[in-house]
Amino acid sequence: MLRIGALFLATVSLTAVSLERANAQQVTGAPGSPGATTTTDGKQLPPPSPKFGGVIKQKASESQPWWAPRIVPRKGAPNVLLIMTDDQGFGAPSTFGGVIPTPAMDRIAKQGLRFTNFHSTSLCSPTRAALITGRNHHSVGSGVVGEISTGFPGYDSIIPVDKGTIGTILKENGYATSWFGKDHNTPSFQSSQAGPFNQWPTGMGFEYFYGFVGGDASQWEPNLYRNTTAIYPFEGKPGWNLTTAMADDAIQYMKQLKEIAPDKPFFVYYVPGGTHAPHHPTPEWAKKIGDMHLFDEGWNKVRETIFANQQRLGIMPGDAKLTPWPKELPEWGSLSVEQKKLYIKQADIYGAYLAYTDHEIGRVIQSVEDLGELDNTLIIYIGGDNGASSEGMLDGTPNEFTTFNGVPVPVKDQFLWYPFWGSERTFPHFAAGWAWAMDTPFKWVKQVPSHFGGTAQGVAMSWPGHITDLGGIRRQFHHMIDIVPTVLEATGIPEPEMINGIKQQPVEGTSMMYAWDKANADAPTRHTTQYFEMLGNRAIYHDGWVAATTPATTPWKLSTAAPPDVITGYNWELYNVAQDPTQFDDLAAKMPEKVKELQALFYSEAAKYNVLPLDNSTLSRWNAARPNLTAGRTEFTYSGELSGVPKSAAPSILNRSYTITAEVEIPEGGAEGMIVTEGGRFGGYGLFLSKGDFGIGRSRVVFLYNLLDLKRTMWEGPELEPGKHTIVFAFKSDGPGLGKGGTGVLSVDGKELATNTLEHTTPITFPEDESFDVGLDTRTGVAMVEYRYDSPFRFTGKIDKLTLKLEPE
């Protein structure tokens, strides 16, 4: 039952229909008039159409028209601006003791509260699914990221229809709903132009979407969508960056809404790509943060500085202990001069990216004030969807997709990218040591749900006049699933019993509003039990205690070795986090019965929330079969132009033999442009006719294979004369096995023209923010120096037929 405060109960206008329920219906205007409005009881969404209340006779002149009232939220219901950054780490922002300036987050904290014991799931899309539904991540099919989904209810990456999102609930109660930034909740096998679109933001209750689909995206040339249509606003605009463009779009959206419908509240879900790799700040921000020399003393010293700041600010109590540095990561003092120079550069760019992201968030917040809406807006700013990421491996990388393909890049080789680290020529990530430091004072990092380094997220929350303990700190335990019930209580909207005719399962979180009052600053948490699980690693929180498994593998080391038994292969640790908030002192050996008690509770919660079956595999899940539009097909045929096809709907040439046949027509004067490509600057392939230089070499046939921006191999043919031609590229793999090399042959009109070998091929994935294109190349090109071209590099001949034939994987 919804608890509505006096603000909502006092609302009456012109005409009111009072119900005995606390959430009484509120009606304004004369019933049946064009200007009449009404709230709903919220039970059934959308609400049933009301019975016509006018009079109908044979003549209109003798009849009485009647209009259904427009549905609006309750008087006083606030706008909601829900912000969450990506892969940030608890100790990164200045608001929570970090050395990186985040004045926008500081602003919200000073105008409201900081929550210092708030938790995520430890991984991107699971956290985001929990955030927008108010349910545990396994309850909504998101036990892992969608890229490794499996066919079990807790892991299929599909949000069930009986667990509607906050977008749907608020939209059907009269809010304008929008989503800006990262969408990592659309199943990868539903992310193409063929749909279905019910699991896109616009199908999940968000009327407007401006952002990218997937785990990450270049900020310079992203896979960007407006609603469900791919857009390319960066073409021909050097220096364009999504972090700024997204803020611009959100600001314009809110301005437009308030000018057209001033009384209609908004729900803006604002989730930028920062600070997930690639770390892409503008050059101005890179210089600003670099000049501050925040990281010159290394990760061990930075960690000590952050912890001291946290205790000074009251983020951590004075008796809290800084957890020890792990033996698996090198101490800063043990590094070479070359390593230190590279790692400092990596951290400077990361710091610049966070500061830049926070700055643009600040512009969005300022625009709310400029619209005169700040006092009527609940702002929730969550610092990260999981702990800081160690997915750059031990040394970092200029291209995150080397990590995803299990290829470490030596330090000396990374200096080839050093001068332009963070620019569009890199897809960079920092070394794992920085991730551990950004999660100060806790142990572990992203992907690890058992320890707070993977799950602790700083939260700042403000609503002028409603949160009055300005600058206050709250230590109550809370979780991502608590945001939806908090928003519902603040807006006076009850949980629906039915959405689109589907009976809804209860929200599983607990509202945080009780903690807003200063009198409740030290009140016991109302979220008393919470399980954690990711990739087989697990923990349970209950009444101030945490039992947790010791991670059996390290997130910065990718291995094809078999993991331990998912049940018996893990040690368990025990912490009294009510007294030991950093999980410093493991009490498992002293209190084995407490461990057993909490283990039993974990498995009880696991059974309740679709956590079973437990699975700690990674590589096999990445390559597992799942629904997609290419399943069972070995031959694909195209013609003309086709662009923006995600890898889930494209023919995959990875780890197999294949043949590409292009039947083309070349006009008088020759042609140039892309015939077919997948991937881009950071890995992929392309079959194209070269543009030439100064008219020389135009129309030359080229097949280029880009191995993760580390090596490019080319097959070159002659310049094609006007007329019809058949181009064939046939590749014979040396497999079976991941990333095996092979031999490719390029032929034109039946004549073999070039034979070349690849020592290795891409084993796991081409860049996920790129696409499969026919007749052009969107976003980035596969060539870098030789045969370089500018996207979209449209084919200026005609593609009569393009065929890809795939052999078994």
Side-chain angles (χ1 to χ4, degrees):
M1 174 67 73
L2 178 66
R3 297 179 299 277
I4 300 181
L7 174 67
F8 302 108
L9 292 176
T11 305
V12 179
S13 178
L14 292 181
T15 302
V17 179
S18 296
L19 303 178
E20 294 182 355
R21 294 167 54 97
N23 56 344
Q25 192 176 12
Q26 299 170 1
V27 178
T28 66
S33 68
T37 68
T38 184
T39 60
T40 75
D41 65 10
K43 286 184 176 182
Q44 181 177 332
L45 299 179
S49 297
K51 183 180 179 181
F52 179 72
V55 177
I56 298 177
K57 295 189 175 181
Q58 287 186 328
K59 292 182 178 181
S61 60
E62 298 174 353
S63 303
Q64 180 180 340
W66 187 91
W67 294 92
R70 179 168 54 88
I71 295 172
V72 296
R74 298 185 168 278
K75 186 177 179 181
N79 306 302
V80 180
L81 175 56
L82 175 56
I83 303 162
M84 184 170 67
T85 55
D86 200 345
D87 282 12
Q88 183 171 296
F90 182 83
S94 58
T95 319
F96 289 86
V99 298
I100 303 167
T102 51
M105 195 179 206
D106 292 346
R107 175 184 183 181
I108 301 307
K110 290 173 183 176
Q111 295 175 348
L113 298 171
R114 276 173 291 186
F115 288 84
T116 65
N117 196 5
F118 183 91
H119 297 269
S120 67
T121 70
S122 81
L123 206 55
C124 300
S125 47
T127 287
R128 293 160 189 271
L131 177 61
I132 63 173
T133 65
R135 280 93 169 183
N136 287 296
H137 54 304
H138 295 85
S139 288
V140 287
S142 301
V144 287
V145 290
E147 290 85 347
I148 57 174
S149 59
T150 55
F152 296 101
Y155 299 90
D156 60 13
S157 74
I158 299 171
I159 296 176
V161 293
D162 62 351
K163 293 168 183 173
T165 72
I166 186 64
T168 297
I169 297 170
L170 295 187
K171 181 189 74 170
E172 297 297 350
N173 278 278
Y175 272 74
T177 58
S178 57
W179 180 330
F180 295 87
K182 177 172 173 174
D183 166 24
H184 204 185
N185 296 116
T186 298
S188 59
F189 47 85
Q190 295 182 3
S191 62
S192 79
Q193 299 91 325
F197 298 106
N198 60 303
Q199 297 262 319
W200 283 62
T202 52
M204 292 191 289
F206 296 86
E207 298 167 304
Y208 179 73
F209 172 56
Y210 178 91
F212 59 93
V213 177
D216 56 21
S218 166
Q219 299 297 292
W220 302 110
E221 295 147 312
N223 58 324
L224 188 61
Y225 292 85
R226 178 170 278 115
N227 299 324
T228 59
T229 300
I231 57 175
Y232 307 92
F234 46 82
E235 287 184 354
K237 296 180 182 178
W240 184 100
N241 190 295
L242 177 57
T243 307
T244 294
M246 179 177 140
D248 291 343
D249 207 79
I251 291 168
Q252 175 59 27
Y253 170 87
M254 292 186 293
K255 174 180 178 294
Q256 173 181 281
L257 174 69
K258 288 302 178 180
E259 289 178 347
I260 296 172
D263 295 330
K264 187 169 188 175
F266 59 72
F267 174 67
V268 172
Y269 178 45
Y270 193 86
V271 279
T275 55
H276 196 293
H279 303 154
H280 277 166
T282 62
E284 296 79 10
W285 278 100
K287 183 178 188 306
K288 181 181 295 187
I289 297 301
D291 288 348
M292 294 175 71
H293 300 284
L294 300 175
F295 305 101
D296 287 9
E297 293 185 281
W299 43 57
N300 297 106
K301 181 63 177 177
V302 166
R303 194 164 181 260
E304 293 171 3
T305 299
I306 293 172
F307 186 59
N309 290 342
Q310 289 171 337
Q311 291 191 307
R312 175 178 54 82
L313 292 169
I315 303 301
M316 283 290 127
D319 59 354
K321 298 177 182 178
L322 178 62
T323 54
W325 187 257
K327 64 181 183 304
E328 295 89 350
L329 292 173
E331 297 272 354
W332 187 259
S334 71
L335 302 175
S336 68
V337 172
E338 186 180 51
Q339 286 173 309
K340 290 178 179 178
K341 180 179 179 180
L342 175 66
Y343 299 162
I344 291 170
K345 180 74 163 185
Q346 295 171 352
D348 282 344
I349 294 301
Y350 169 84
Y353 191 27
L354 175 53
Y356 171 39
T357 299
D358 178 81
H359 172 78
E360 295 301 322
I361 289 171
R363 289 181 55 226
V364 174
I365 294 170
Q366 183 59 44
S367 74
V368 174
E369 181 174 19
D370 294 343
L371 290 169
E373 294 290 330
L374 190 63
D375 287 348
N376 191 38
T377 301
L378 169 61
I379 299 178
I380 302 172
Y381 187 157
I382 304 172
D385 58 351
N386 44 242
S389 171
S390 65
E391 291 160 349
M393 307 178 80
L394 278 175
D395 293 319
T397 176
N399 175 9
E400 185 187 27
F401 292 99
T402 61
T403 296
F404 296 155
N405 285 283
V407 180
V409 183
V411 168
K412 63 181 179 60
D413 293 340
Q414 293 192 48
F415 275 94
L416 294 171
W417 288 270
Y418 184 93
F420 36 85
W421 201 274
S423 76
E424 75 282 357
R425 296 175 68 179
T426 63
F427 210 96
H429 204 321
F430 58 21
W434 289 122
W436 200 284
M438 292 304 106
D439 287 332
T440 301
F442 305 115
K443 292 182 273 192
W444 293 101
V445 292
K446 176 184 177 180
Q447 297 187 21
V448 179
S450 55
H451 293 72
F452 291 169
T455 69
Q457 318 299 149
V459 174
M461 193 179 296
S462 73
W463 184 11
H466 298 262
I467 299 177
T468 56
D469 185 17
L470 305 188
I473 289 176
R474 298 293 183 267
R475 303 189 192 279
Q476 291 91 348
F477 179 93
H478 280 288
H479 189 271
M480 286 287 171
I481 63 176
D482 297 336
I483 296 298
V484 163
T486 303
V487 170
L488 292 180
E489 184 174 0
T491 57
I493 294 172
E495 286 184 46
E497 297 175 5
M498 196 86 68
I499 295 179
N500 295 323
I502 305 295
K503 180 176 173 57
Q504 295 295 291
Q505 297 299 311
V507 166
E508 294 161 5
T510 303
S511 173
M512 301 165 69
M513 271 187 64
Y514 73 92
W516 289 1
D517 293 338
K518 190 170 186 177
N520 288 337
D522 298 317
T525 183
R526 295 183 183 176
H527 191 135
T528 57
T529 304
Q530 179 62 49
Y531 82 89
F532 296 87
E533 191 278 339
M534 193 66 60
L535 303 170
N537 199 33
R538 50 207 182 272
I540 184 77
Y541 168 88
H542 182 66
D543 287 345
W545 290 86
V546 169
T549 58
T550 305
T553 57
T554 52
W556 53 84
K557 290 183 180 179
L558 298 182
S559 173
T560 58
D565 183 271
V566 73
I567 302 297
T568 63
Y570 290 77
N571 293 320
W572 283 76
E573 304 169 16
L574 178 68
Y575 300 97
N576 180 352
V577 293
Q579 299 176 7
D580 175 22
T582 67
Q583 295 177 302
F584 182 93
D585 188 10
D586 179 9
L587 303 174
K590 298 177 182 178
M591 304 179 69
E593 292 306 312
K594 187 67 175 179
V595 174
K596 291 179 182 179
E597 171 194 331
L598 292 175
Q599 284 176 322
L601 181 58
F602 170 83
Y603 288 111
S604 173
E605 295 291 288
K608 185 188 305 182
Y609 294 117
N610 290 340
V611 182
L612 304 178
L614 294 177
D615 186 350
N616 60 359
S617 64
T618 51
L619 183 59
S620 61
R621 279 203 271 184
W622 188 285
N623 291 328
R626 55 183 58 89
N628 66 75
L629 300 178
T630 66
R633 298 173 61 188
T634 59
E635 188 167 323
F636 300 78
T637 303
Y638 309 93
S639 62
E641 281 191 3
L642 176 67
S643 66
V645 180
K647 63 180 182 179
S648 61
S652 174
I653 67 169
L654 300 182
N655 304 306
R656 56 170 33 109
S657 301
Y658 58 90
T659 302
I660 301 173
T661 303
E663 300 173 27
V664 300
E665 294 184 41
I666 308 300
E668 292 295 330
E672 63 183 49
M674 184 61 64
I675 297 172
V676 62
T677 182
E678 185 178 2
R681 178 182 288 119
F682 303 105
Y685 70 89
L687 174 64
F688 57 91
L689 300 190
S690 66
K691 66 177 184 177
D693 295 304
F694 307 106
I696 300 173
R698 187 167 182 266
S699 293
R700 172 172 287 178
V701 181
V702 178
F703 184 86
L704 187 152
Y705 192 92
N706 174 7
L707 182 64
L708 301 171
D709 200 29
L710 302 174
K711 181 179 182 180
R712 286 170 170 81
T713 304
M714 286 161 282
W715 290 254
E716 301 160 296
E719 299 176 25
L720 295 189
E721 299 294 327
K724 290 180 176 288
H725 298 278
T726 299
I727 305 167
V728 177
F729 180 79
F731 182 78
K732 181 66 175 177
S733 172
D734 293 337
L738 293 174
K740 294 292 186 179
T743 301
V745 178
L746 177 67
S747 304
V748 175
D749 298 331
K751 182 179 180 181
E752 294 185 3
L753 299 170
T755 300
N756 213 335
T757 60
L758 293 174
E759 184 179 358
H760 302 288
T761 58
T762 305
I764 305 297
T765 182
F766 291 138
E768 69 171 305
D769 68 330
E770 293 281 357
S771 59
F772 175 80
D773 301 318
V774 176
L776 72 168
D777 188 358
T778 57
R779 303 184 185 98
T780 67
V782 291
M784 178 55 72
V785 178
E786 194 169 0
Y787 295 114
R788 185 185 180 279
Y789 56 85
D790 294 320
S791 295
F793 198 39
R794 279 189 158 83
F795 185 61
T796 57
K798 180 183 177 184
I799 300 175
D800 292 325
K801 186 177 181 181
L802 174 72
T803 304
L804 279 81
K805 295 187 70 172
L806 308 179
E807 300 299 325
E809 187 173 7

